[in-house]
PDB file of all heavy atoms in Angstrom:
ATOM      1  N   ASP Z  79     -84.874  23.349 -23.478  1.00 98.00           N
ATOM      2  CA  ASP Z  79     -86.096  23.487 -22.689  1.00 98.00           C
ATOM      3  C   ASP Z  79     -86.111  24.822 -21.953  1.00 98.00           C
ATOM      4  O   ASP Z  79     -87.135  25.529 -21.924  1.00 98.00           O
ATOM      5  CB  ASP Z  79     -86.208  22.357 -21.660  1.00 98.00           C
ATOM      6  CG  ASP Z  79     -86.441  20.992 -22.279  1.00 98.00           C
ATOM      7  OD1 ASP Z  79     -86.988  20.929 -23.390  1.00 98.00           O
ATOM      8  OD2 ASP Z  79     -86.085  19.996 -21.621  1.00 98.00           O
ATOM      9  N   ILE Z  80     -84.983  25.171 -21.347  1.00 98.00           N
ATOM     10  CA  ILE Z  80     -84.902  26.416 -20.580  1.00 98.00           C
ATOM     11  C   ILE Z  80     -85.116  27.623 -21.484  1.00 98.00           C
ATOM     12  O   ILE Z  80     -85.816  28.573 -21.126  1.00 98.00           O
ATOM     13  CB  ILE Z  80     -83.537  26.494 -19.863  1.00 98.00           C
ATOM     14  CG1 ILE Z  80     -83.447  25.397 -18.791  1.00 98.00           C
ATOM     15  CG2 ILE Z  80     -83.324  27.874 -19.236  1.00 98.00           C
ATOM     16  CD1 ILE Z  80     -82.078  25.249 -18.171  1.00 98.00           C
ATOM     17  N   GLU Z  81     -84.545  27.574 -22.689  1.00 98.00           N
ATOM     18  CA  GLU Z  81     -84.739  28.683 -23.637  1.00 98.00           C
ATOM     19  C   GLU Z  81     -86.197  28.784 -24.061  1.00 98.00           C
ATOM     20  O   GLU Z  81     -86.741  29.884 -24.202  1.00 98.00           O
ATOM     21  CB  GLU Z  81     -83.846  28.492 -24.856  1.00 98.00           C
ATOM     22  CG  GLU Z  81     -83.915  29.664 -25.828  1.00 98.00           C
ATOM     23  CD  GLU Z  81     -82.871  29.604 -26.917  1.00 98.00           C
ATOM     24  OE1 GLU Z  81     -82.088  28.630 -26.948  1.00 98.00           O
ATOM     25  OE2 GLU Z  81     -82.831  30.543 -27.739  1.00 98.00           O
ATOM     26  N   LEU Z  82     -86.855  27.635 -24.248  1.00 98.00           N
ATOM     27  CA  LEU Z  82     -88.282  27.637 -24.584  1.00 98.00           C
ATOM     28  C   LEU Z  82     -89.091  28.326 -23.486  1.00 98.00           C
ATOM     29  O   LEU Z  82     -89.953  29.173 -23.764  1.00 98.00           O
ATOM     30  CB  LEU Z  82     -88.777  26.203 -24.765  1.00 98.00           C
ATOM     31  CG  LEU Z  82     -90.304  26.021 -24.885  1.00 98.00           C
ATOM     32  CD1 LEU Z  82     -90.817  26.657 -26.170  1.00 98.00           C
ATOM     33  CD2 LEU Z  82     -90.672  24.547 -24.824  1.00 98.00           C
ATOM     34  N   PHE Z  83     -88.810  27.985 -22.243  1.00 98.00           N
ATOM     35  CA  PHE Z  83     -89.544  28.587 -21.126  1.00 98.00           C
ATOM     36  C   PHE Z  83     -89.248  30.081 -21.019  1.00 98.00           C
ATOM     37  O   PHE Z  83     -90.138  30.881 -20.741  1.00 98.00           O
ATOM     38  CB  PHE Z  83     -89.170  27.882 -19.822  1.00 98.00           C
ATOM     39  CG  PHE Z  83     -89.945  26.622 -19.546  1.00 98.00           C
ATOM     40  CD1 PHE Z  83     -90.188  25.691 -20.553  1.00 98.00           C
ATOM     41  CD2 PHE Z  83     -90.419  26.339 -18.289  1.00 98.00           C
ATOM     42  CE1 PHE Z  83     -90.901  24.530 -20.318  1.00 98.00           C
ATOM     43  CE2 PHE Z  83     -91.124  25.184 -18.024  1.00 98.00           C
ATOM     44  CZ  PHE Z  83     -91.376  24.278 -19.034  1.00 98.00           C
ATOM     45  N   ALA Z  84     -87.992  30.458 -21.260  1.00 98.00           N
ATOM     46  CA  ALA Z  84     -87.593  31.859 -21.130  1.00 98.00           C
ATOM     47  C   ALA Z  84     -88.243  32.743 -22.182  1.00 98.00           C
ATOM     48  O   ALA Z  84     -88.442  33.944 -21.959  1.00 98.00           O
ATOM     49  CB  ALA Z  84     -86.076  31.976 -21.217  1.00 98.00           C
ATOM     50  N   THR Z  85     -88.578  32.176 -23.318  1.00 98.00           N
ATOM     51  CA  THR Z  85     -89.150  32.959 -24.424  1.00 98.00           C
ATOM     52  C   THR Z  85     -90.651  32.751 -24.585  1.00 98.00           C
ATOM     53  O   THR Z  85     -91.235  33.255 -25.542  1.00 98.00           O
ATOM     54  CB  THR Z  85     -88.446  32.591 -25.743  1.00 98.00           C
ATOM     55  OG1 THR Z  85     -88.540  31.177 -25.959  1.00 98.00           O
ATOM     56  CG2 THR Z  85     -86.979  33.006 -25.714  1.00 98.00           C
ATOM     57  N   THR Z  86     -91.273  32.034 -23.645  1.00 97.00           N
ATOM     58  CA  THR Z  86     -92.715  31.766 -23.743  1.00 97.00           C
ATOM     59  C   THR Z  86     -93.390  32.161 -22.438  1.00 97.00           C
ATOM     60  O   THR Z  86     -93.666  31.305 -21.574  1.00 97.00           O
ATOM     61  CB  THR Z  86     -92.987  30.275 -24.042  1.00 97.00           C
ATOM     62  OG1 THR Z  86     -92.133  29.828 -25.094  1.00 97.00           O
ATOM     63  CG2 THR Z  86     -94.447  30.066 -24.437  1.00 97.00           C
ATOM     64  N   PRO Z  87     -93.691  33.452 -22.250  1.00 93.00           N
ATOM     65  CA  PRO Z  87     -94.261  33.913 -20.972  1.00 93.00           C
ATOM     66  C   PRO Z  87     -95.665  33.405 -20.701  1.00 93.00           C
ATOM     67  O   PRO Z  87     -96.177  33.568 -19.589  1.00 93.00           O
ATOM     68  CB  PRO Z  87     -94.238  35.438 -21.114  1.00 93.00           C
ATOM     69  CG  PRO Z  87     -94.221  35.696 -22.586  1.00 93.00           C
ATOM     70  CD  PRO Z  87     -93.443  34.567 -23.182  1.00 93.00           C
ATOM     71  N   THR Z  88     -96.301  32.793 -21.691  1.00 95.00           N
ATOM     72  CA  THR Z  88     -97.657  32.270 -21.482  1.00 95.00           C
ATOM     73  C   THR Z  88     -97.671  30.898 -20.804  1.00 95.00           C
ATOM     74  O   THR Z  88     -98.734  30.397 -20.434  1.00 95.00           O
ATOM     75  CB  THR Z  88     -98.401  32.159 -22.829  1.00 95.00           C
ATOM     76  OG1 THR Z  88     -97.609  31.367 -23.733  1.00 95.00           O
ATOM     77  CG2 THR Z  88     -98.624  33.534 -23.428  1.00 95.00           C
ATOM     78  N   ILE Z  89     -96.503  30.284 -20.648  1.00 97.00           N
ATOM     79  CA  ILE Z  89     -96.446  29.003 -19.932  1.00 97.00           C
ATOM     80  C   ILE Z  89     -96.908  29.235 -18.495  1.00 97.00           C
ATOM     81  O   ILE Z  89     -96.384  30.119 -17.816  1.00 97.00           O
ATOM     82  CB  ILE Z  89     -95.026  28.408 -19.957  1.00 97.00           C
ATOM     83  CG1 ILE Z  89     -94.655  27.975 -21.383  1.00 97.00           C
ATOM     84  CG2 ILE Z  89     -94.909  27.216 -19.005  1.00 97.00           C
ATOM     85  CD1 ILE Z  89     -93.237  27.467 -21.526  1.00 97.00           C
ATOM     86  N   PRO Z  90     -97.872  28.470 -18.012  1.00 95.00           N
ATOM     87  CA  PRO Z  90     -98.398  28.719 -16.668  1.00 95.00           C
ATOM     88  C   PRO Z  90     -97.469  28.217 -15.577  1.00 95.00           C
ATOM     89  O   PRO Z  90     -96.696  27.279 -15.780  1.00 95.00           O
ATOM     90  CB  PRO Z  90     -99.702  27.917 -16.654  1.00 95.00           C
ATOM     91  CG  PRO Z  90     -99.439  26.785 -17.591  1.00 95.00           C
ATOM     92  CD  PRO Z  90     -98.576  27.356 -18.690  1.00 95.00           C
ATOM     93  N   LYS Z  91     -97.537  28.865 -14.426  1.00 94.00           N
ATOM     94  CA  LYS Z  91     -96.810  28.330 -13.282  1.00 94.00           C
ATOM     95  C   LYS Z  91     -97.646  27.217 -12.665  1.00 94.00           C
ATOM     96  O   LYS Z  91     -98.882  27.274 -12.651  1.00 94.00           O
ATOM     97  CB  LYS Z  91     -96.471  29.417 -12.265  1.00 94.00           C
ATOM     98  CG  LYS Z  91     -97.632  29.992 -11.468  1.00 94.00           C
ATOM     99  CD  LYS Z  91     -97.077  30.961 -10.419  1.00 94.00           C
ATOM    100  CE  LYS Z  91     -98.196  31.467  -9.520  1.00 94.00           C
ATOM    101  NZ  LYS Z  91     -97.678  32.362  -8.460  1.00 94.00           N
ATOM    102  N   VAL Z  92     -96.977  26.188 -12.172  1.00 97.00           N
ATOM    103  CA  VAL Z  92     -97.652  24.974 -11.719  1.00 97.00           C
ATOM    104  C   VAL Z  92     -97.216  24.645 -10.295  1.00 97.00           C
ATOM    105  O   VAL Z  92     -96.036  24.428 -10.032  1.00 97.00           O
ATOM    106  CB  VAL Z  92     -97.313  23.786 -12.651  1.00 97.00           C
ATOM    107  CG1 VAL Z  92     -97.932  22.501 -12.129  1.00 97.00           C
ATOM    108  CG2 VAL Z  92     -97.797  24.081 -14.063  1.00 97.00           C
ATOM    109  N   GLY Z  93     -98.176  24.638  -9.377  1.00 97.00           N
ATOM    110  CA  GLY Z  93     -97.921  24.195  -8.020  1.00 97.00           C
ATOM    111  C   GLY Z  93     -98.260  22.728  -7.878  1.00 97.00           C
ATOM    112  O   GLY Z  93     -98.731  22.078  -8.828  1.00 97.00           O
ATOM    113  N   SER Z  94     -98.072  22.179  -6.698  1.00 97.00           N
ATOM    114  CA  SER Z  94     -98.317  20.758  -6.499  1.00 97.00           C
ATOM    115  C   SER Z  94     -99.769  20.381  -6.781  1.00 97.00           C
ATOM    116  O   SER Z  94    -100.044  19.292  -7.281  1.00 97.00           O
ATOM    117  CB  SER Z  94     -97.921  20.347  -5.074  1.00 97.00           C
ATOM    118  OG  SER Z  94     -98.565  21.164  -4.114  1.00 97.00           O
ATOM    119  N   ARG Z  95    -100.715  21.264  -6.512  1.00 96.00           N
ATOM    120  CA  ARG Z  95    -102.121  20.941  -6.750  1.00 96.00           C
ATOM    121  C   ARG Z  95    -102.457  20.868  -8.234  1.00 96.00           C
ATOM    122  O   ARG Z  95    -103.463  20.264  -8.623  1.00 96.00           O
ATOM    123  CB  ARG Z  95    -103.016  21.996  -6.094  1.00 96.00           C
ATOM    124  CG  ARG Z  95    -102.958  23.347  -6.808  1.00 96.00           C
ATOM    125  CD  ARG Z  95    -104.034  24.302  -6.380  1.00 96.00           C
ATOM    126  NE  ARG Z  95    -103.973  25.523  -7.185  1.00 96.00           N
ATOM    127  CZ  ARG Z  95    -104.842  26.521  -7.084  1.00 96.00           C
ATOM    128  NH1 ARG Z  95    -105.823  26.452  -6.208  1.00 96.00           N
ATOM    129  NH2 ARG Z  95    -104.717  27.582  -7.850  1.00 96.00           N
ATOM    130  N   ASP Z  96    -101.626  21.505  -9.082  1.00 97.00           N
ATOM    131  CA  ASP Z  96    -101.915  21.604 -10.515  1.00 97.00           C
ATOM    132  C   ASP Z  96    -101.298  20.486 -11.335  1.00 97.00           C
ATOM    133  O   ASP Z  96    -101.539  20.397 -12.541  1.00 97.00           O
ATOM    134  CB  ASP Z  96    -101.381  22.940 -11.064  1.00 97.00           C
ATOM    135  CG  ASP Z  96    -101.852  24.132 -10.256  1.00 97.00           C
ATOM    136  OD1 ASP Z  96    -103.070  24.259 -10.049  1.00 97.00           O
ATOM    137  OD2 ASP Z  96    -100.996  24.923  -9.816  1.00 97.00           O
ATOM    138  N   LEU Z  97    -100.494  19.636 -10.723  1.00 97.00           N
ATOM    139  CA  LEU Z  97     -99.703  18.680 -11.487  1.00 97.00           C
ATOM    140  C   LEU Z  97    -100.566  17.714 -12.303  1.00 97.00           C
ATOM    141  O   LEU Z  97    -100.281  17.470 -13.473  1.00 97.00           O
ATOM    142  CB  LEU Z  97     -98.777  17.895 -10.547  1.00 97.00           C
ATOM    143  CG  LEU Z  97     -97.620  18.707  -9.958  1.00 97.00           C
ATOM    144  CD1 LEU Z  97     -96.885  17.900  -8.896  1.00 97.00           C
ATOM    145  CD2 LEU Z  97     -96.652  19.134 -11.059  1.00 97.00           C
ATOM    146  N   GLY Z  98    -101.597  17.166 -11.697  1.00 96.00           N
ATOM    147  CA  GLY Z  98    -102.441  16.212 -12.421  1.00 96.00           C
ATOM    148  C   GLY Z  98    -103.054  16.802 -13.680  1.00 96.00           C
ATOM    149  O   GLY Z  98    -102.885  16.258 -14.783  1.00 96.00           O
ATOM    150  N   PRO Z  99    -103.793  17.924 -13.566  1.00 97.00           N
ATOM    151  CA  PRO Z  99    -104.410  18.515 -14.754  1.00 97.00           C
ATOM    152  C   PRO Z  99    -103.415  18.940 -15.833  1.00 97.00           C
ATOM    153  O   PRO Z  99    -103.655  18.740 -17.018  1.00 97.00           O
ATOM    154  CB  PRO Z  99    -105.164  19.726 -14.193  1.00 97.00           C
ATOM    155  CG  PRO Z  99    -105.450  19.361 -12.782  1.00 97.00           C
ATOM    156  CD  PRO Z  99    -104.256  18.576 -12.326  1.00 97.00           C
ATOM    157  N   VAL Z 100    -102.286  19.532 -15.417  1.00 97.00           N
ATOM    158  CA  VAL Z 100    -101.322  20.021 -16.409  1.00 97.00           C
ATOM    159  C   VAL Z 100    -100.634  18.858 -17.113  1.00 97.00           C
ATOM    160  O   VAL Z 100    -100.456  18.868 -18.338  1.00 97.00           O
ATOM    161  CB  VAL Z 100    -100.291  20.967 -15.762  1.00 97.00           C
ATOM    162  CG1 VAL Z 100     -99.220  21.362 -16.770  1.00 97.00           C
ATOM    163  CG2 VAL Z 100    -100.985  22.213 -15.227  1.00 97.00           C
ATOM    164  N   LEU Z 101    -100.239  17.837 -16.363  1.00 97.00           N
ATOM    165  CA  LEU Z 101     -99.626  16.669 -16.987  1.00 97.00           C
ATOM    166  C   LEU Z 101    -100.614  15.973 -17.919  1.00 97.00           C
ATOM    167  O   LEU Z 101    -100.246  15.542 -19.016  1.00 97.00           O
ATOM    168  CB  LEU Z 101     -99.137  15.692 -15.916  1.00 97.00           C
ATOM    169  CG  LEU Z 101     -97.873  16.124 -15.157  1.00 97.00           C
ATOM    170  CD1 LEU Z 101     -97.690  15.277 -13.901  1.00 97.00           C
ATOM    171  CD2 LEU Z 101     -96.649  16.016 -16.053  1.00 97.00           C
ATOM    172  N   ALA Z 102    -101.863  15.885 -17.508  1.00 96.00           N
ATOM    173  CA  ALA Z 102    -102.871  15.225 -18.332  1.00 96.00           C
ATOM    174  C   ALA Z 102    -103.151  15.991 -19.622  1.00 96.00           C
ATOM    175  O   ALA Z 102    -103.507  15.398 -20.646  1.00 96.00           O
ATOM    176  CB  ALA Z 102    -104.168  15.062 -17.544  1.00 96.00           C
ATOM    177  N   SER Z 103    -102.950  17.317 -19.581  1.00 96.00           N
ATOM    178  CA  SER Z 103    -103.212  18.135 -20.767  1.00 96.00           C
ATOM    179  C   SER Z 103    -102.154  17.967 -21.846  1.00 96.00           C
ATOM    180  O   SER Z 103    -102.364  18.328 -23.000  1.00 96.00           O
ATOM    181  CB  SER Z 103    -103.283  19.609 -20.371  1.00 96.00           C
ATOM    182  OG  SER Z 103    -101.977  20.128 -20.102  1.00 96.00           O
ATOM    183  N   GLY Z 104    -100.974  17.438 -21.452  1.00 96.00           N
ATOM    184  CA  GLY Z 104     -99.895  17.263 -22.415  1.00 96.00           C
ATOM    185  C   GLY Z 104     -99.128  18.529 -22.723  1.00 96.00           C
ATOM    186  O   GLY Z 104     -98.341  18.570 -23.666  1.00 96.00           O
ATOM    187  N   GLY Z 105     -99.356  19.581 -21.927  1.00 96.00           N
ATOM    188  CA  GLY Z 105     -98.703  20.856 -22.201  1.00 96.00           C
ATOM    189  C   GLY Z 105     -97.458  21.099 -21.377  1.00 96.00           C
ATOM    190  O   GLY Z 105     -96.818  20.169 -20.885  1.00 96.00           O
ATOM    191  N   HIS Z 106     -97.116  22.396 -21.223  1.00 98.00           N
ATOM    192  CA  HIS Z 106     -95.942  22.815 -20.474  1.00 98.00           C
ATOM    193  C   HIS Z 106     -96.363  23.435 -19.148  1.00 98.00           C
ATOM    194  O   HIS Z 106     -97.490  23.902 -18.997  1.00 98.00           O
ATOM    195  CB  HIS Z 106     -95.127  23.845 -21.252  1.00 98.00           C
ATOM    196  CG  HIS Z 106     -94.708  23.412 -22.619  1.00 98.00           C
ATOM    197  ND1 HIS Z 106     -94.228  22.154 -22.890  1.00 98.00           N
ATOM    198  CD2 HIS Z 106     -94.691  24.093 -23.808  1.00 98.00           C
ATOM    199  CE1 HIS Z 106     -93.930  22.064 -24.182  1.00 98.00           C
ATOM    200  NE2 HIS Z 106     -94.207  23.224 -24.754  1.00 98.00           N
ATOM    201  N   GLY Z 107     -95.431  23.486 -18.199  1.00 98.00           N
ATOM    202  CA  GLY Z 107     -95.695  24.144 -16.931  1.00 98.00           C
ATOM    203  C   GLY Z 107     -94.408  24.476 -16.208  1.00 98.00           C
ATOM    204  O   GLY Z 107     -93.476  23.669 -16.174  1.00 98.00           O
TER     205      GLY Z 107
END
Side-chain angles (χ1 to χ4, degrees):
D79 292 334
I80 293 171
E81 185 170 1
L82 170 66
F83 276 43
T85 56
T86 314
T88 55
I89 292 176
K91 71 175 185 178
V92 176
S94 54
R95 71 167 185 176
D96 308 307
L97 289 172
V100 175
L101 286 165
S103 75
H106 305 317

